[in-house]
Amino acid sequence: MPLFSKSHKNPAEIVKILKENMAILEKQEKKQQASEEVSKSLQAMKEILCGTTDKEPPTEVVAQLAQELYNSGLLVTLIANLQLIDFEGKKDVSQIFNNILRRQIGTRSPTVEYISAHPHILFMLLKGYESPNIALRCGIMLRECIRHEPLAKIILFSEQFRDFFKYVEMSTFDIASDAFATFKDLLTRHKLLVADFMEQNYDTIFEDYEKLLHSENYVTKRQSLKLLGELILDRHNFAIMTKYISKPENLKLMMNLLRDKSPNIQFEAFHVFKVFVASPNKTQPIVEILLKNQPKLIEFLSNFQKERTDDEQFTDEKNYLIKQIRDLKKPTA
């Protein structure tokens, strides 16, 4: 029994037709007809990869399709020209991309290997945040890539990583939020990789990160503070935390944010501030700032967010910090 009937094209034919029609779309000729052919081919490809409700996709056909996508360069073409494809087609491309990315042969992930050899695919997806009509689709594919440590490593150690600081500040809320979700995923998913990356690039990262903590955008500021707290409290990032809490300018910033007009930002700042106070190995400049502000800090914390009566952990932490600050002594000469 042949795998493909006359009405069902095989993977090589689907890829050939799709590639031809993508080329027509690029030239902006016969757009309507080419667009319909692209949609039909993407549907056929999706059916091969995902199967139908009544049958699973045959493994050898999926393998053939994957190989055709790699060999023809079509995977790159689809990402590079995503904005030329209609709305439903864009959804199909992201589903096809993510499905083929998850594909494994034993312990191997062929698409991860392919993208590692063609890293510009990752940077095209990242640059997608600059184009509103493809930004969210690119974000979905980028987060799927980040699940795989070799691909996350390429992005982290690239010059393009710093573009995230620009994308999370974008004026379109949906795009900025999506970019932040990807940024957070990149900094929290692969713990040892991220710890190594941050230790090697501490000054650059935190110089950029500090700008987010001064952001005029409330959501960006709050999310960045929350993520900072998560990062410095993670045991894998002990060296980063030690360095961060040794710097007096970081403590001053948190003390200012404790007085922010937003209670939510105050609350997130509290969770970073507590690390400075609770550390048993405070640097001398940190001790001096806390001593200089000792009476004010005790009074401030005693009245800080009293309305959080149902949050026992917060109350306990606050009382602990008050005690730590009260017990601070000037070093004897």
Side-chain angles (χ1 to χ4, degrees), residues 44-254:
M45 206 178 271
K46 205 166 79 168
E47 198 170 302
I48 288 175
L49 286 172
C50 307
T52 54
T53 45
D54 53 345
K55 62 172 192 260
E56 285 284 303
T59 313
E60 64 272 35
V61 185
V62 172
Q64 194 186 337
L65 176 59
Q67 210 51 54
E68 290 290 340
L69 278 169
Y70 307 147
N71 295 347
S72 66
L74 182 61
L75 203 60
V76 176
T77 304
L78 289 171
I79 302 301
N81 296 297
L82 192 59
Q83 70 276 14
L84 301 177
I85 301 170
D86 67 20
F87 180 76
E88 286 302 320
K90 288 185 184 78
K91 277 167 64 176
D92 291 339
V93 169
S94 61
Q95 285 179 298
I96 290 163
F97 183 91
N98 286 2
N99 186 296
I100 212 153
L101 192 54
R102 292 182 198 124
R103 183 174 161 263
Q104 285 190 290
I105 300 171
T107 56
R108 280 185 56 228
S109 297
T111 310
V112 173
E113 291 168 14
Y114 178 78
I115 295 173
S116 294
H118 301 82
H120 62 293
I121 292 174
L122 296 168
F123 304 131
M124 284 193 292
L125 289 173
L126 183 56
K127 202 166 175 57
Y129 279 125
E130 295 174 20
S131 306
N133 65 335
I134 60 168
L136 303 185
R137 286 287 137 203
C138 288
I140 288 167
M141 291 185 271
L142 203 49
R143 283 190 292 281
E144 191 64 40
C145 290
I146 288 166
R147 290 165 66 101
H148 303 276
E149 192 165 333
L151 303 186
K153 185 174 184 176
I154 290 169
I155 300 170
L156 279 171
F157 285 92
S158 71
E159 284 179 18
Q160 288 90 332
F161 170 76
R162 294 185 74 181
D163 291 341
F164 273 108
F165 292 98
K166 175 175 67 180
Y167 299 146
V168 301
E169 287 269 51
M170 289 184 90
S171 56
T172 308
F173 176 77
D174 288 357
I175 297 175
S177 294
D178 196 276
F180 198 92
T182 308
F183 178 63
K184 181 180 178 184
D185 220 9
L186 195 53
L187 290 177
T188 53
R189 184 173 282 276
H190 306 286
K191 306 286 191 188
L192 294 172
L193 170 67
V194 169
D196 182 40
F197 163 68
M198 289 204 293
E199 281 179 55
Q200 287 186 45
N201 298 277
Y202 179 91
D203 291 335
T204 316
I205 293 166
F206 281 93
E207 188 182 316
D208 287 334
Y209 207 102
E210 189 176 338
K211 291 170 191 162
L212 298 183
L213 300 177
H214 285 103
S215 174
E216 294 296 311
N217 182 321
Y218 162 75
V219 177
T220 303
K221 194 172 179 179
R222 184 186 175 192
Q223 287 179 323
S224 303
L225 255 178
K226 189 167 188 152
L227 177 57
L228 176 63
E230 198 175 317
L231 289 171
I232 65 171
L233 286 166
D234 189 309
R235 62 187 177 83
H236 296 90
N237 298 330
F238 182 78
I240 303 300
M241 180 269 282
T242 305
K243 196 164 185 178
Y244 188 83
I245 65 166
S246 71
K247 311 271 188 199
E249 60 272 24
N250 295 335
L251 174 57
K252 286 175 186 170
L253 174 58
M254 287 310 133

